[in-house]
Amino acid sequence: MNPETAAHMYDRDLPRNEANFAPLSPLSFIERTAEVYPDRLAIVHGSLRQTWSQTYARCRRLASALQRAGIGKNDTVAVMLPNTPPMVEAHFGVPMAGAVLNSLNTRLDPQAVAFMLDHGEARVVITDPEFAPTMAQAIALRQRTEPLLVIDVEDALFTGPVQRIGSTTYEDFIAGGDPAFDWNLPGDEWDAIALNYTSGTTGNPKGVVYHHRGAAVNAISNILEWDMPKHAVYLWTLPMFHCNGWCFPWTVAARAGVNVCLRRVEAQAIFDAMREHGVTHYCGAPIVHGLLVNAPATLKQGVPAGIKAMVAGAAPPASMIEGMEQMGFDLTHVYGLTEVYGPATVCAKHESWDGLDIGERARLNARQGVRYHLERDVRVLDPQTLQPVPQDGETMGEIMFKGNIAMKGYLKNPKATAEAFAGGWFHSGDLAVQYPDGYFKIKDRSKDIIISGGENISSIEVEDVLYRHPDVLAAAVVARPDPKWGETPCAFVELKAGAQTTPEDIVRHCRQHLAGFKVPRAVVFGELPKTSTGKIQKFELRKLAGSAAAIDV
């Protein structure tokens, strides 16, 4: 074969090189923003006001200091931090050193943290004083014998007792770094940028590995889905340890926005920050939005109108949508998992929905929606055949993802990785239906379907009805063993303050909206167990369901 004709003319003598190709990475976002808007405000924390040029220099100092400490490509740097400036800086400084950021869940016990430090082979830990006691115990429980560099963060806003567990402080450590450190983009956009552990309910959690490409395109998709303007003011109510804050540390940098830090998620602190800093955007689990909706009216006075809120997790009930509208907030419903960088679908709203009544708008907005701009595909497929289910709003299948916004895989777990990507799709484990307009709605996790007398009951459907009751603050439905039916629904309900509702009232409410076999046979009042990100822990409720007293329905 003639060598000159071996390649097509569109490939021949047209090589990829540094002049025409660069790996996608969110690290380029902060570089550009620091060049274009050096004096724009980047971080607010208490009395601290830090510009983008200052933030970029500090990130480069961190990267330089890490390299001088012997940290390089694919080394793991773990952080145990709240939503404070060092957490923002870690999202850039750690990968600038070529290392991988492992943001630890601050609510975990020492045993779980020790497992993650060992499994992820962490070589550095940066910890906040609030979590020093937990981290000290975790370090003592480690099985690995390799040296671990421990760095203590000092924060004037932390008022508790300070326990020093490290060999240096964060400020002293980065002071030894070069603010003009000449970092490089990854050699390959497939290189790992972050390690996040799933909150497994049984056995050890799995380590989800993110790549630079996925982090960049999800951060950009956040901008596109929200029409996020330049210089947005973003309030950190969502933990940055949760899916790297849904990639918003990188999103905010791309928009030269403001990171308004928040150590604790409390209604007073949130509303105060919104007023003081002119917050324009924030994200959170349903419990966070519910906290604001149900806050006393006096706390809401003077809050700016038009704040954009993003909710993920359980679908927003009508009461939440209505409450957000009354505050003048614009709520966007997204859906995703740790394995897809947080949100990877959005319930994109249409102008035609605006004139509908609140019940119909709540029904439409409760759907998990359609794929993010830069996700290749999301479908509801038959889990056995991998064929699309009919888009009739009734036939159930499994939500599956394909494309750029998907993890590299599970660290040191090839079996779980192969199962997750079987057939060329990421299997979410969420069961859903798809409607004629292409929008899909979760009906349940595969493990959460209640099978009663051979009939499938969606716990989410029952929960949607429970949330329509005016006295219900939070609700979860799980299977309760039943000698006759096999399983029946058991409702765990957290009531609003001062509510006088009885379990029988709840059952009567459900009867008005559900088929008889779907009505809960047991109703238990009390505070619901939740994860640090606000998700209700159904596995804890399943343990209690067997002893719940039945109600004659």
Side-chain angles (χ1 to χ4, degrees):
M1 180 181 291
N2 186 336
E4 292 187 5
T5 60
H8 193 276
M9 64 177 181
Y10 285 118
D11 297 314
R12 191 168 60 248
D13 302 322
L14 300 173
R16 177 188 295 185
N17 58 72
E18 290 185 8
N20 63 18
F21 178 85
L24 285 175
S25 171
L27 300 183
S28 62
F29 300 159
I30 191 172
E31 179 184 42
R32 179 185 184 274
T33 288
E35 290 176 357
V36 180
Y37 303 107
D39 299 323
R40 296 285 311 194
L41 188 60
I43 296 177
V44 171
H45 184 55
S47 60
L48 174 72
R49 301 293 184 272
Q50 192 168 291
T51 66
W52 277 109
S53 63
Q54 292 170 329
T55 301
Y56 184 42
R58 287 175 61 84
C59 294
R60 294 166 86 179
R61 282 186 181 275
L62 173 58
S64 172
L66 287 170
Q67 283 206 352
R68 290 177 181 180
I71 303 303
K73 184 174 179 179
N74 291 333
D75 286 329
T76 303
V77 176
V79 298
M80 188 77 150
L81 300 170
N83 289 344
T84 53
M87 185 61 139
V88 178
E89 293 164 3
H91 277 79
F92 298 93
V94 171
M96 280 177 180
V100 179
L101 177 63
N102 175 207
S103 299
L104 297 166
N105 185 327
T106 59
R107 296 285 184 87
L108 293 177
D109 59 66
Q111 290 76 16
V113 175
F115 167 80
M116 294 173 185
L117 294 177
D118 280 336
H119 186 262
E121 302 180 19
R123 293 191 57 196
V124 178
V125 166
I126 304 174
T127 187
D128 185 85
E130 184 174 350
F131 313 117
T134 298
M135 186 56 72
Q137 295 180 57
I139 291 170
L141 291 170
R142 287 172 67 228
Q143 301 297 308
R144 290 174 58 83
T145 57
E146 290 78 2
L148 183 67
L149 173 61
V150 181
I151 301 170
D152 290 317
V153 169
E154 297 174 304
D155 186 354
L157 270 61
F158 176 66
T159 57
V162 175
Q163 176 184 349
R164 292 288 176 84
I165 65 172
S167 57
T168 184
T169 67
Y170 181 74
E171 293 301 325
D172 286 345
F173 182 71
I174 68 171
D178 181 1
F181 175 65
D182 188 18
W183 61 276
N184 295 304
L185 287 172
D188 187 339
E189 58 192 16
W190 182 248
D191 284 353
I193 190 172
L195 170 66
N196 293 298
Y197 282 90
T198 59
S199 52
T201 58
T202 57
N204 289 321
K206 295 193 286 288
V208 177
V209 181
Y210 290 176
H211 46 76
H212 281 255
R213 179 180 180 84
V217 299
N218 204 38
I220 295 168
S221 280
N222 285 335
I223 297 169
L224 296 173
E225 301 303 346
W226 237 358
D227 295 322
M228 199 171 188
K230 284 184 289 188
H231 316 313
V233 181
Y234 183 89
L235 178 63
W236 276 107
T237 52
L238 177 76
M240 268 183 262
F241 67 70
H242 183 50
C243 307
N244 296 105
W246 299 352
C247 296
F248 272 94
W250 300 310
T251 294
V252 175
R255 292 276 74 192
V258 182
N259 293 277
V260 180
C261 294
L262 196 66
R263 282 194 70 95
R264 293 189 179 280
V265 177
E266 298 169 338
Q268 179 79 59
I270 291 171
F271 285 123
D272 285 348
M274 288 175 172
R275 282 185 288 263
E276 181 179 356
H277 305 299
V279 168
T280 59
H281 296 73
Y282 77 96
C283 299
I287 189 172
V288 175
H289 304 287
L291 175 73
L292 302 184
V293 168
N294 294 298
T298 52
L299 291 186
K300 305 175 186 178
Q301 293 177 357
V303 172
I307 292 176
K308 292 184 179 293
M310 190 175 278
V311 62
S319 58
M320 179 187 294
I321 294 173
E322 198 165 27
M324 297 294 279
E325 289 178 353
Q326 288 171 355
M327 291 193 297
F329 289 12
D330 179 18
L331 187 65
T332 297
H333 180 207
V334 294
Y335 157 75
L337 305 91
T338 302
E339 289 86 345
V340 292
Y341 297 70
T345 76
V346 59
C347 188
K349 291 182 279 191
H350 294 264
E351 292 181 359
S352 59
W353 297 1
D354 294 344
L356 302 174
D357 64 64
I358 184 65
E360 181 61 11
R361 277 189 288 126
R363 185 188 71 80
L364 292 169
N365 279 307
R367 299 182 298 176
Q368 279 62 43
V370 294
R371 62 188 165 104
Y372 251 28
H373 275 79
L374 300 179
E375 181 65 298
R376 176 66 188 90
D377 204 359
V378 181
R379 298 284 169 185
V380 179
L381 305 178
D382 182 299
Q384 302 304 318
T385 66
L386 298 186
Q387 294 302 305
V389 301
Q391 293 187 191
D392 55 11
E394 295 181 2
T395 307
M396 204 177 304
E398 183 178 355
I399 299 172
M400 299 194 193
F401 294 82
K402 176 184 291 188
N404 297 305
I405 310 175
M407 64 174 178
K408 291 187 74 166
Y410 296 116
L411 185 68
K412 301 178 183 176
N413 198 336
K415 181 175 182 292
T417 299
E419 291 173 351
F421 290 134
W425 291 86
F426 168 67
H427 298 239
S428 72
D430 285 327
L431 303 180
V433 297
Q434 199 155 13
Y435 291 87
D437 61 1
Y439 284 56
F440 61 89
K441 178 175 174 58
I442 291 177
K443 289 298 183 180
D444 233 325
R445 291 290 292 175
S446 55
K447 63 187 178 185
D448 290 339
I449 285 286
I450 301 165
I451 304 174
S452 185
E455 297 282 355
N456 287 355
I457 301 173
S458 163
S459 64
I460 290 179
E461 180 184 1
V462 182
E463 289 161 4
D464 283 346
V465 170
L466 290 169
Y467 273 110
R468 292 185 212 166
H469 193 287
D471 290 338
V472 171
L473 180 64
V477 174
V478 299
R480 175 180 176 274
D482 186 274
K484 180 178 180 181
W485 301 106
E487 295 176 339
T488 55
C490 177
F492 289 84
V493 175
E494 190 172 326
L495 295 174
K496 295 178 181 177
Q500 301 298 314
T501 300
T502 66
E504 289 74 19
D505 292 333
I506 296 294
V507 168
R508 280 193 290 271
H509 168 76
C510 289
R511 277 204 200 111
Q512 295 174 9
H513 302 281
L514 293 168
F517 72 95
K518 297 181 180 180
V519 174
R521 298 294 179 107
V523 178
V524 181
F525 289 157
E527 185 175 354
L528 304 186
K530 304 176 186 74
T531 69
S532 57
T533 57
K535 292 182 180 178
I536 296 169
Q537 296 176 309
K538 284 193 172 183
F539 68 96
E540 294 287 356
L541 299 178
R542 290 189 191 98
K543 299 174 185 177
L544 304 173
S547 58
I551 297 175
D552 183 13
V553 297

Short mmCIF file of all heavy atoms in Angstrom, two decimals, residues 13 17 21 81 84 140 149 188 191 213 269 286 299 303 313 341 354 360 382 390 466 517 524 529 536:
data_model
loop_
_atom_site.label_atom_id
_atom_site.label_comp_id
_atom_site.label_asym_id
_atom_site.label_seq_id
_atom_site.Cartn_x
_atom_site.Cartn_y
_atom_site.Cartn_z
N ASP A 13 -0.84 13.93 7.47
CA ASP A 13 -0.04 15.14 7.68
C ASP A 13 -0.77 16.19 8.52
O ASP A 13 -0.51 17.39 8.42
CB ASP A 13 0.38 15.77 6.33
CG ASP A 13 1.17 14.81 5.47
OD1 ASP A 13 1.98 14.05 6.06
OD2 ASP A 13 0.97 14.80 4.25
N ASN A 17 -0.91 17.91 18.17
CA ASN A 17 0.28 18.43 18.85
C ASN A 17 -0.14 19.46 19.88
O ASN A 17 -1.32 19.78 20.03
CB ASN A 17 1.26 19.02 17.82
CG ASN A 17 0.62 20.14 17.02
OD1 ASN A 17 0.39 21.23 17.55
ND2 ASN A 17 0.31 19.88 15.75
N PHE A 21 -4.04 20.85 20.45
CA PHE A 21 -4.78 19.97 21.37
C PHE A 21 -4.25 20.14 22.79
O PHE A 21 -3.05 20.18 23.02
CB PHE A 21 -4.63 18.50 20.96
CG PHE A 21 -5.33 17.54 21.90
CD1 PHE A 21 -6.67 17.25 21.75
CD2 PHE A 21 -4.63 16.95 22.94
CE1 PHE A 21 -7.31 16.39 22.63
CE2 PHE A 21 -5.26 16.08 23.82
CZ PHE A 21 -6.60 15.80 23.66
N LEU A 81 -12.28 18.42 55.77
CA LEU A 81 -12.50 19.85 55.89
C LEU A 81 -13.97 20.21 55.69
O LEU A 81 -14.66 19.59 54.87
CB LEU A 81 -11.69 20.60 54.82
CG LEU A 81 -10.16 20.43 54.86
CD1 LEU A 81 -9.54 21.02 53.61
CD2 LEU A 81 -9.59 21.09 56.11
N THR A 84 -14.63 25.58 53.80
CA THR A 84 -13.76 26.69 54.16
C THR A 84 -12.76 26.94 53.04
O THR A 84 -12.62 26.12 52.12
CB THR A 84 -13.02 26.38 55.47
OG1 THR A 84 -12.35 25.12 55.34
CG2 THR A 84 -13.99 26.32 56.65
N ALA A 140 -4.65 6.39 64.03
CA ALA A 140 -4.18 5.33 64.93
C ALA A 140 -4.68 3.95 64.50
O ALA A 140 -4.05 2.93 64.80
CB ALA A 140 -4.63 5.63 66.35
N LEU A 149 1.90 12.38 56.13
CA LEU A 149 2.08 13.79 56.48
C LEU A 149 0.73 14.36 56.89
O LEU A 149 -0.21 14.37 56.09
CB LEU A 149 2.66 14.56 55.30
CG LEU A 149 2.75 16.10 55.45
CD1 LEU A 149 3.64 16.48 56.62
CD2 LEU A 149 3.24 16.74 54.16
N ASP A 188 -2.73 13.39 30.31
CA ASP A 188 -3.89 12.74 29.69
C ASP A 188 -5.12 13.16 30.48
O ASP A 188 -5.14 13.09 31.71
CB ASP A 188 -3.71 11.22 29.75
CG ASP A 188 -4.78 10.45 28.99
OD1 ASP A 188 -5.87 11.02 28.74
OD2 ASP A 188 -4.54 9.27 28.67
N ASP A 191 -6.46 11.09 33.25
CA ASP A 191 -5.79 10.97 34.54
C ASP A 191 -6.78 11.23 35.68
O ASP A 191 -7.70 12.06 35.55
CB ASP A 191 -4.64 11.98 34.64
CG ASP A 191 -3.42 11.57 33.84
OD1 ASP A 191 -3.42 10.43 33.30
OD2 ASP A 191 -2.48 12.37 33.74
N ARG A 213 -11.22 15.04 32.57
CA ARG A 213 -12.19 15.33 31.52
C ARG A 213 -13.61 15.41 32.10
O ARG A 213 -14.35 16.36 31.84
CB ARG A 213 -12.14 14.28 30.42
CG ARG A 213 -13.14 14.50 29.29
CD ARG A 213 -13.03 13.42 28.22
NE ARG A 213 -13.98 13.62 27.14
CZ ARG A 213 -13.77 14.42 26.09
NH1 ARG A 213 -12.63 15.10 26.01
NH2 ARG A 213 -14.66 14.55 25.15
N ALA A 269 -27.65 31.40 59.62
CA ALA A 269 -26.39 31.69 58.93
C ALA A 269 -26.60 31.80 57.42
O ALA A 269 -25.99 32.63 56.75
CB ALA A 269 -25.37 30.61 59.25
N PRO A 286 -32.75 17.98 49.69
CA PRO A 286 -34.09 18.47 50.06
C PRO A 286 -34.18 18.99 51.49
O PRO A 286 -34.88 19.96 51.75
CB PRO A 286 -34.97 17.23 49.86
CG PRO A 286 -34.28 16.44 48.81
CD PRO A 286 -32.81 16.65 49.05
N LEU A 299 -36.72 35.39 59.84
CA LEU A 299 -35.38 35.10 59.32
C LEU A 299 -35.28 35.41 57.83
O LEU A 299 -34.19 35.64 57.32
CB LEU A 299 -35.03 33.63 59.55
CG LEU A 299 -34.78 33.14 60.97
CD1 LEU A 299 -34.30 31.70 60.96
CD2 LEU A 299 -33.75 34.03 61.68
N VAL A 303 -34.27 39.04 52.26
CA VAL A 303 -33.48 38.12 51.44
C VAL A 303 -33.66 38.50 49.96
O VAL A 303 -34.79 38.74 49.52
CB VAL A 303 -33.92 36.66 51.68
CG1 VAL A 303 -33.26 35.72 50.68
CG2 VAL A 303 -33.57 36.24 53.10
N GLY A 313 -31.67 14.57 44.97
CA GLY A 313 -32.11 13.61 45.96
C GLY A 313 -33.58 13.31 45.71
O GLY A 313 -34.00 13.09 44.58
N TYR A 341 -20.41 12.07 39.04
CA TYR A 341 -19.93 13.40 39.43
C TYR A 341 -21.02 14.26 40.07
O TYR A 341 -20.97 15.48 40.02
CB TYR A 341 -19.36 14.14 38.22
CG TYR A 341 -18.14 13.50 37.59
CD1 TYR A 341 -18.24 12.30 36.88
CD2 TYR A 341 -16.88 14.08 37.70
CE1 TYR A 341 -17.13 11.70 36.31
CE2 TYR A 341 -15.75 13.49 37.12
CZ TYR A 341 -15.89 12.29 36.43
OH TYR A 341 -14.79 11.70 35.86
N ASP A 354 -45.37 27.32 33.36
CA ASP A 354 -45.54 28.42 34.31
C ASP A 354 -47.00 28.68 34.66
O ASP A 354 -47.31 29.08 35.79
CB ASP A 354 -44.92 29.70 33.74
CG ASP A 354 -43.41 29.60 33.60
OD1 ASP A 354 -42.82 28.68 34.21
OD2 ASP A 354 -42.82 30.43 32.88
N GLU A 360 -49.77 20.40 39.38
CA GLU A 360 -49.28 19.90 38.11
C GLU A 360 -47.81 20.28 37.90
O GLU A 360 -47.02 19.49 37.39
CB GLU A 360 -50.13 20.46 36.96
CG GLU A 360 -49.73 19.99 35.57
CD GLU A 360 -49.81 18.48 35.36
OE1 GLU A 360 -50.39 17.79 36.24
OE2 GLU A 360 -49.31 18.00 34.34
N ASP A 382 -34.26 -1.82 29.89
CA ASP A 382 -34.52 -3.11 30.52
C ASP A 382 -33.17 -3.64 31.03
O ASP A 382 -32.23 -3.79 30.25
CB ASP A 382 -35.11 -4.09 29.51
CG ASP A 382 -35.45 -5.42 30.12
OD1 ASP A 382 -34.53 -6.10 30.63
OD2 ASP A 382 -36.63 -5.81 30.07
N PRO A 390 -40.62 1.09 26.73
CA PRO A 390 -41.57 2.00 26.08
C PRO A 390 -41.69 3.31 26.87
O PRO A 390 -41.73 3.29 28.10
CB PRO A 390 -42.89 1.21 26.12
CG PRO A 390 -42.48 -0.21 26.23
CD PRO A 390 -41.23 -0.22 27.06
N LEU A 466 -47.21 11.25 51.01
CA LEU A 466 -46.98 11.68 52.39
C LEU A 466 -46.54 13.14 52.45
O LEU A 466 -46.96 13.90 53.32
CB LEU A 466 -45.94 10.78 53.06
CG LEU A 466 -46.38 9.35 53.36
CD1 LEU A 466 -45.19 8.50 53.77
CD2 LEU A 466 -47.44 9.32 54.46
N PHE A 517 -53.82 -1.26 48.49
CA PHE A 517 -52.68 -2.09 48.85
C PHE A 517 -51.39 -1.27 49.02
O PHE A 517 -50.40 -1.76 49.56
CB PHE A 517 -52.47 -3.21 47.82
CG PHE A 517 -51.93 -2.77 46.49
CD1 PHE A 517 -50.57 -2.81 46.22
CD2 PHE A 517 -52.79 -2.32 45.48
CE1 PHE A 517 -50.08 -2.42 44.99
CE2 PHE A 517 -52.30 -1.93 44.25
CZ PHE A 517 -50.95 -1.98 44.00
N VAL A 524 -44.84 5.46 61.80
CA VAL A 524 -44.00 5.73 62.97
C VAL A 524 -43.54 7.17 62.92
O VAL A 524 -42.97 7.63 61.91
CB VAL A 524 -42.76 4.80 62.98
CG1 VAL A 524 -41.91 5.07 64.22
CG2 VAL A 524 -43.19 3.34 62.94
N PRO A 529 -33.28 9.21 60.53
CA PRO A 529 -31.81 9.18 60.43
C PRO A 529 -31.36 9.62 59.05
O PRO A 529 -31.92 9.18 58.04
CB PRO A 529 -31.48 7.70 60.69
CG PRO A 529 -32.71 6.96 60.26
CD PRO A 529 -33.87 7.86 60.58
N ILE A 536 -31.96 10.38 53.60
CA ILE A 536 -32.54 9.54 54.65
C ILE A 536 -31.95 8.13 54.56
O ILE A 536 -31.88 7.56 53.47
CB ILE A 536 -34.07 9.52 54.53
CG1 ILE A 536 -34.64 10.93 54.77
CG2 ILE A 536 -34.69 8.52 55.50
CD1 ILE A 536 -36.10 11.09 54.42
#
